[in-house]
Amino acid sequence: MIIFNDTVIIEEAVHQKWLKWVKDVYIPKVMATGYFKSYQILNIIDSPNEGVTYCIQYNAENLGDFNQFYTRHLHQLQAIHNNEFKDQFVIFNTLMQTVE
């Protein structure tokens, strides 16, 4: 399984608004692409960063599905995220593969 992880550090003043928006708008758009089978949202409770840190992990069956998502949808979805919460977050992505 391939796990695409978005780590987002969001300003504390807007993190509840952001979390609602991610659940109601952003994740449904990602899942509607059809390339991921499931997802989970995690809150990092011991983050050394200012703000609130979340990880959203999307699970794809294989690297081909992720590559199709990346090529066809990722940049457009990132633009939507940037427009909604401009200058209020930092994001970085990690691509992982399960071992067992």
Side-chain angles (χ1 to χ4, degrees):
M1 177 163 301
I2 300 298
I3 301 167
F4 177 56
N5 182 81
D6 277 336
T7 299
V8 180
I9 305 165
I10 185 80
E11 290 182 5
E12 191 164 348
V14 297
H15 87 95
Q16 291 178 338
K17 176 182 174 185
W18 175 87
L19 185 58
K20 180 173 178 13
W21 179 83
V22 162
K23 288 178 179 179
D24 294 347
V25 177
Y26 189 77
I27 291 173
K29 286 182 182 294
V30 171
M31 296 305 292
T33 67
Y35 294 108
F36 298 105
K37 299 300 178 194
S38 61
Y39 70 90
Q40 63 180 352
I41 303 171
L42 301 105
N43 176 237
I44 299 179
I45 57 176
D46 65 348
S47 175
N49 302 303
E50 289 186 27
V52 181
T53 305
Y54 291 95
C55 293
I56 306 171
Q57 297 182 340
Y58 302 97
N59 301 301
E61 286 191 15
N62 56 62
L63 191 55
D65 285 348
F66 170 77
N67 287 335
Q68 290 295 320
F69 168 77
Y70 183 89
T71 301
R72 296 179 179 181
H73 301 284
L74 181 62
H75 299 294
Q76 177 187 6
L77 289 165
Q78 286 177 335
I80 293 168
H81 193 200
N82 290 336
N83 288 338
E84 191 70 27
F85 291 94
K86 186 176 179 153
D87 299 327
Q88 297 176 314
F89 71 96
V90 174
I91 189 170
F92 62 92
N93 310 112
T94 310
L95 190 60
M96 300 175 279
Q97 183 175 12
T98 56
V99 176
E100 291 184 28

